[in-house]
Amino acid sequence: MEEELEPSLRPRTQIQGRILLLTICAAGIGGTFQFGYNLSIINAPTSHIQEFTNETWQARTGEPLPDHLVLLMWSLIVSLYPLGGLFGALLAGPLAITLGRKKSLLVNNIFVVSAAILFGFSRKAASFEMIMLGRLLVGVNAGVSMNIQPMYLGESAPKELRGAVAMSSAIFTALGIVMGQVVGLRELLGGPQAWPLLLASCLVPGVLQLASLPLLPESPRYLLIDCGDTEACLAALRRLRGSRDLAGELEELEEERAACQGCHARRPWELFQHRALRRQVTSLVVLGSAMELCGNDSVYAYASSVFRKAGVPEAKIQYAIIGTGSCELLMAVVSCVVIERVGRRVLLIGGYSLMTCWGSIFTVALCLQSSFPWTLYVAMACIFAFILSFGIGPAGVTGILATELFDQTARPAACMVCGALMWLMLFLVGLGFPFIMEALSHFLYVPFLGVCVCGAIYTGLFLPETKGKTFQEISEELHRLNFPRQAQGPTWRSLEVIQSTEL
């Protein structure tokens, strides 16, 4: 039973609450913020970098590059980002196990600093290869942070706030997208002379994280279960929770530690071999793929042409694009507020259902645009509504599945699988969308609508609710679902203390 705190303890509790908030901000600004920021800033200097590539090649060889090779070089610069993200996702698991969650995020900034140096001096060195290598490095940084940040925050938050805290990763992603769109305006760093500074500006959030995160605690779960350091775990909990009673949370951690005794760290391929992880892995693969194949990223790509057809002046389209990113940021904040009230399933089902609705109207509006010109304005409204629906559910909830559905021994490997899958799907969608748009014309969103329907149905039928449950309670429920004929949970026989995620 909770007891009301004495007046003398309330200021201390508020201070400790601020420490949790600072932990969220420090992890996010150099984490998923970097992913969104580097994803969006590359759009503004497209023509400038293509001209730089052509001029550099002509200075070396005396002949300009053919147009198709300029486009190929630009495609490589863009696609190296998700390729680096794939490498980073595969690197995230070993880093999280070997260095811990907090140190991994700090070490990850090495890639950002190196990339910023390459971007900043690329023009003086007359080397577009430096831009390519820099994009690969910021991709590695994003791949590592996209996996470790939700893990770090999910393990550090109390169970009643775990969903909201983990959802902050989606908020920082959307914030990074909007900031990248704003900084990339022609009036700021989007001009023909400032684009090296625009690309190198990723250094700023990296420096902010390096200055703030070392002052904040490591994940208590990692300290106790992985390192076996009870005193460090208790100290971290006291900093994060303040003067509240820690007995219940310590008991939960000890239960999870006992359950992990004698278990080694799961490798990514082992997740697909164990029946006890069948539902978790299936949910991770299905819903992770659905998030990337639902068409939201393609909405961003198609928005410019829709705005242009609707009569928006060319100079104003960049501001309309900022509006699309702001919509996702707004709904990520709303989702963070309501997730612990309505649960994960409701947000996912509602998000995918609304996306199906708006995507269908969008398709009809495009088909009727020649007969009814006003339907282009309907299509514009559907773009914003589609992004709002994506932000309220799939954008954030999907990212916390690997943290909540897997135990301490399987969580790093699950994050590796989820991250690798996400980056691979992002690469394939970016590669295939132009061909889909050309082949299907106004019906280009029909395949994406099918994905949204499947995502909603799978969530309703197979995904268990995790709201307000401890990690141990979630593991026990999933064990019952994976082994429906067994009345009791697994029996842990080993009494030997072994680090749960030892490589």
Side-chain angles (χ1 to χ4, degrees):
M1 184 177 67
E2 297 182 359
E3 297 180 356
E4 186 176 355
L5 293 174
E6 297 179 7
S8 61
L9 296 179
R10 289 173 185 167
R12 186 182 172 190
T13 303
Q14 293 174 356
I15 292 174
Q16 306 304 330
R18 293 194 192 109
I19 289 179
L20 179 59
L21 178 61
L22 288 173
T23 303
I24 295 170
C25 294
I29 193 65
T32 52
F33 178 90
Q34 287 276 29
F35 164 67
Y37 187 74
N38 287 293
L39 186 68
S40 62
I41 61 170
I42 197 65
N43 296 321
T46 299
S47 59
H48 308 317
I49 295 178
Q50 289 179 349
E51 291 174 5
F52 169 73
T53 302
N54 194 18
E55 291 171 358
T56 302
W57 185 268
Q58 187 171 5
R60 293 177 183 176
T61 64
E63 296 181 0
L65 270 175
D67 290 342
H68 69 280
L69 290 181
V70 173
L71 185 60
L72 176 62
M73 292 294 186
W74 172 248
S75 299
L76 284 174
I77 291 173
V78 174
S79 61
L80 281 172
Y81 183 64
L83 182 62
L86 178 60
F87 292 152
L90 298 176
L91 184 63
L95 274 179
I97 295 170
T98 307
L99 300 179
R101 286 35 167 170
K102 187 179 81 169
K103 288 183 181 178
S104 296
L105 289 174
L106 292 171
V107 170
N108 189 35
N109 286 288
I110 293 174
F111 300 111
V112 170
V113 174
S114 302
I117 294 173
L118 290 170
F119 290 143
F121 291 98
S122 58
R123 171 181 279 173
K124 288 188 176 181
S127 173
F128 55 83
E129 293 88 353
M130 293 174 67
I131 301 176
M132 293 181 177
L133 181 57
R135 288 290 292 176
L136 182 69
L137 292 178
V138 292
V140 174
N141 170 268
V144 171
S145 61
M146 287 282 288
N147 291 300
I148 295 181
Q149 180 188 332
M151 192 191 315
Y152 173 49
L153 296 180
E155 292 177 358
S156 300
K159 68 176 183 179
E160 62 271 14
L161 295 176
R162 189 177 62 239
V165 170
M167 277 291 294
S168 65
S169 299
I171 293 177
F172 279 99
T173 298
L175 181 62
I177 290 174
V178 174
M179 287 300 298
Q181 292 169 340
V182 171
V183 175
L185 291 174
R186 284 186 291 270
E187 296 83 353
L188 297 177
L189 296 180
Q193 301 300 320
W195 62 263
L197 292 177
L198 174 63
L199 297 181
S201 61
C202 62
L203 180 64
V204 176
V207 170
L208 290 175
Q209 185 178 72
L210 287 171
S212 57
L213 193 58
L215 305 176
L216 298 165
E218 173 62 276
S219 160
R221 265 184 170 75
Y222 172 79
L223 292 172
L224 180 65
I225 301 176
D226 293 58
C227 302
D229 193 338
T230 305
E231 293 183 1
C233 171
L234 187 57
L237 281 175
R238 283 172 178 163
R239 291 194 66 193
L240 290 166
R241 308 288 187 266
S243 55
R244 60 179 284 183
D245 185 15
L246 301 177
E249 190 163 359
L250 279 174
E251 182 180 355
E252 175 210 334
L253 289 173
E254 289 291 352
E255 288 178 0
E256 188 174 354
R257 181 186 185 183
C260 292
Q261 285 181 358
C263 300
H264 69 277
R266 303 286 188 188
R267 278 81 172 178
W269 55 88
E270 292 179 346
L271 301 183
F272 298 89
Q273 298 172 351
H274 288 269
R275 184 182 174 188
L277 299 173
R278 181 177 299 170
R279 186 177 292 254
Q280 296 95 304
V281 172
T282 304
S283 299
L284 191 67
V285 171
V286 172
L287 296 178
S289 300
M291 184 183 73
E292 294 302 328
L293 298 178
C294 66
N296 183 71
D297 295 327
S298 303
V299 164
Y300 283 112
Y302 202 62
S304 297
S305 60
V306 173
F307 292 148
R308 192 174 291 109
K309 289 180 181 178
V312 178
E314 190 69 30
K316 303 296 182 183
I317 288 179
Q318 59 177 347
Y319 302 107
I321 297 297
I322 293 176
T324 61
S326 301
C327 286
E328 185 171 339
L329 174 60
L330 172 65
M331 296 316 295
V333 174
V334 172
S335 181
C336 181
V337 173
V338 304
I339 187 172
E340 293 299 344
R341 297 184 180 182
V342 302
R344 285 66 162 157
R345 283 164 46 87
V346 171
L347 291 180
L348 279 175
I349 295 173
Y352 280 124
S353 300
L354 288 172
M355 290 167 70
T356 303
C357 173
W358 299 122
S360 301
I361 298 175
F362 179 76
T363 301
V364 173
L366 290 182
C367 293
L368 297 178
Q369 63 178 340
S370 58
S371 302
F372 304 97
W374 55 267
T375 56
L376 279 173
Y377 297 97
V378 176
M380 286 177 59
C382 287
I383 287 177
F384 288 100
F386 192 93
I387 294 173
L388 287 169
S389 304
F390 177 77
I392 192 65
V397 178
T398 309
I400 66 177
L401 293 179
T403 300
E404 291 195 327
L405 296 183
F406 293 85
D407 62 18
Q408 193 79 3
T409 62
R411 194 171 294 131
C415 287
M416 289 174 64
V417 171
C418 181
L421 183 69
M422 185 201 77
W423 287 103
L424 181 61
M425 293 297 175
L426 185 63
F427 176 78
L428 293 176
V429 169
L431 192 65
F433 182 73
F435 301 99
I436 295 175
M437 188 165 57
E438 183 178 354
L440 299 182
S441 185
H442 300 325
F443 298 97
L444 79 163
Y445 262 84
V446 172
F448 300 129
L449 297 181
V451 172
C452 293
V453 171
C454 292
I457 292 175
Y458 181 87
T459 302
L461 296 179
F462 301 108
L463 184 69
E465 181 57 72
T466 57
K467 180 185 70 171
K469 298 177 182 178
T470 67
F471 284 119
Q472 190 63 23
E473 290 170 345
I474 295 171
S475 295
E476 292 172 356
E477 180 179 355
L478 287 167
H479 186 271
R480 289 193 296 269
L481 293 173
N482 285 316
F483 300 96
R485 296 183 181 180
Q486 296 184 11
Q488 298 179 350
T491 301
W492 308 101
R493 298 178 180 176
S494 175
L495 298 178
E496 182 183 1
V497 178
I498 298 179
Q499 290 186 2
S500 66
T501 53
E502 182 182 3
L503 280 174

